[in-house]
Amino acid sequence: MEVFYFNSSIVYINGSTGGSDMTPYEECKDMPAALIFYLILQAINLFLGIPANLMVLWLLHKNKGDSSSSDIFILHLAILDTFFCLIPPLELVNKVFLTIGSTWYVLRFFYGVKDSSPLFLSCICMDRYMAVLHPITFTELKDRNHRSVCAAVLWLVTLVYAAAKCVWGNIPNFEKVFVAMILAAFSFMLFCNVAILNALRKSGPGRDEMHPVKKRAFKMVLIILAIIVFNYFPPVALFPFQEHFSPDEFICFVYPIAFGFMDISSSIQPVLYLSREIPSVLCCCPKNKGSGNSTDPS
């Protein structure tokens, strides 16, 4: 029995055709639509995600003298997503055309890196949560190095997790580590963003009277909340109920759909960031440095 990996999932393919290996596409030939959908989204990551994330990195470098407190996490998230967006060609070969055992180790490592992306997004949510609900504490901590330390710790966790997935992928129930991580991160991000929206909504008699900085924060938090729900809710909603699906349905339908929505975040996140930043660059409208960095969670 060959063991293949579909992101955090374990796909057991029964080598019943004369001992020859079967690709995931051949194994799911009776229901290929979800796998094709997944590969299309990965192609979008390749052709849109890489240039979009590189543009984010360029803008962050260009504006590093006028950056917000969350930019360090956005920087590392863009690096992580750029890294992940490199895999579609290798993934296409191994899922559709060939079954090369050695490349599954490489793919598992990339999958492990992507699995950890919600941790960086959670830090962005936490930073904005502190800026809005605890501005005094946020101001006191704004110029310290704890964000760099936090980013370094997250990369250490990411690389250890990815290496474990790569080298010890046959550990029973190893995918449950991902399920627990995505559930915890999703709940935490949802809590932070709902609390921020509630605080901003109550900050004035009406939204039209809201401070411009808080208006900007309100819009950005809404975008982040939409990303969280759209990209991370499918795996959160589906994976805990694996026993309610047949093995073929879970492998050939649930996994590709859930991870397709999660992985396309590598393109959606930078595009939404650019939609906010590029207009100000094109209009040559510098950010107002006196607009209260201590209360701007974006």
Side-chain angles (χ1 to χ4, degrees):
M1 177 176 288
E2 289 287 331
V3 181
F4 297 115
Y5 286 75
F6 201 108
N7 276 24
S8 284
S9 65
I10 298 181
V11 180
Y12 296 95
I13 298 180
N14 187 352
S16 58
T17 57
S20 62
D21 293 338
M22 296 175 63
T23 65
Y25 184 80
E26 291 170 335
E27 183 68 15
C28 296
K29 61 183 179 181
D30 294 331
M31 50 179 80
L35 182 55
I36 294 173
F37 170 78
Y38 172 84
L39 292 173
I40 289 173
L41 294 183
Q42 288 294 70
I44 294 174
N45 276 339
L46 177 65
F47 295 108
L48 176 62
I50 291 178
N53 280 290
L54 291 177
M55 180 65 75
V56 169
L57 293 173
W58 178 78
L59 284 176
L60 290 172
H61 175 74
K62 179 177 179 294
N63 300 325
K64 61 182 178 181
D66 187 28
S67 60
S68 72
S69 59
S70 298
D71 279 357
I72 185 171
F73 299 122
I74 296 173
L75 170 71
H76 289 284
L77 185 60
I79 293 173
L80 185 152
D81 283 335
T82 302
F83 184 69
F84 177 74
C85 287
L86 296 173
I87 71 167
L90 180 62
E91 196 171 35
L92 177 65
V93 169
N94 248 41
K95 279 185 167 54
V96 178
F97 299 108
L98 301 174
T99 301
I100 306 173
S102 58
T103 59
W104 283 104
Y105 290 100
V106 178
L107 288 173
R108 288 202 297 266
F109 185 83
F110 277 88
Y111 293 150
V113 169
K114 180 58 181 176
D115 285 353
S116 303
S117 64
L119 299 180
F120 288 94
L121 197 56
S122 294
C123 287
I124 297 172
C125 294
M126 169 59 86
D127 203 58
R128 292 167 177 173
Y129 173 85
M130 293 296 296
V132 173
L133 276 80
H134 304 283
I136 296 177
T137 303
F138 178 82
T139 302
E140 293 174 351
L141 298 175
K142 185 168 70 72
D143 297 325
R144 298 186 182 180
N145 295 324
H146 67 281
R147 292 182 182 84
S148 298
V149 173
C150 183
V153 170
L154 290 183
W155 271 112
L156 178 61
V157 172
T158 296
L159 295 176
V160 169
Y161 173 86
K165 180 183 288 294
C166 176
V167 179
W168 298 295
N170 293 330
I171 296 177
N173 299 319
F174 184 77
E175 72 276 11
K176 290 183 179 179
V177 175
F178 168 77
V179 175
M181 180 170 62
I182 195 70
L183 281 170
F186 180 82
S187 301
F188 179 78
M189 291 186 290
L190 195 63
F191 165 78
C192 287
N193 283 277
V194 170
I196 292 170
L197 290 176
N198 187 53
L200 292 174
R201 184 178 58 83
K202 294 180 178 179
S203 61
R207 186 178 299 181
D208 291 338
E209 301 177 31
M210 192 182 296
H211 188 279
V213 171
K214 292 187 176 182
K215 276 188 178 181
R216 181 168 173 259
F218 190 90
K219 291 178 181 178
M220 286 309 301
V221 172
L222 275 178
I223 291 173
I224 291 292
L225 186 59
I227 291 175
I228 293 168
V229 174
F230 180 79
N231 293 128
Y232 297 104
F233 182 72
V236 168
L238 293 172
F239 287 167
F241 303 100
Q242 178 174 353
E243 66 274 7
H244 296 285
F245 299 91
S246 70
D248 287 343
E249 288 174 339
F250 205 74
I251 291 169
C252 298
F253 184 78
V254 174
Y255 276 141
I257 293 295
F259 280 112
F261 278 103
M262 177 178 166
D263 293 348
I264 197 62
S265 65
S266 294
S267 294
I268 293 177
Q269 288 162 181
V271 167
L272 290 176
Y273 178 85
L274 293 174
S275 70
R276 174 173 68 101
E277 295 295 327
I278 285 183
S280 63
V281 174
L282 294 178
C283 295
C284 298
C285 301
K287 295 178 183 177
N288 183 3
K289 294 184 181 182
S291 60
N293 284 340
S294 65
T295 59
D296 183 4
S298 61

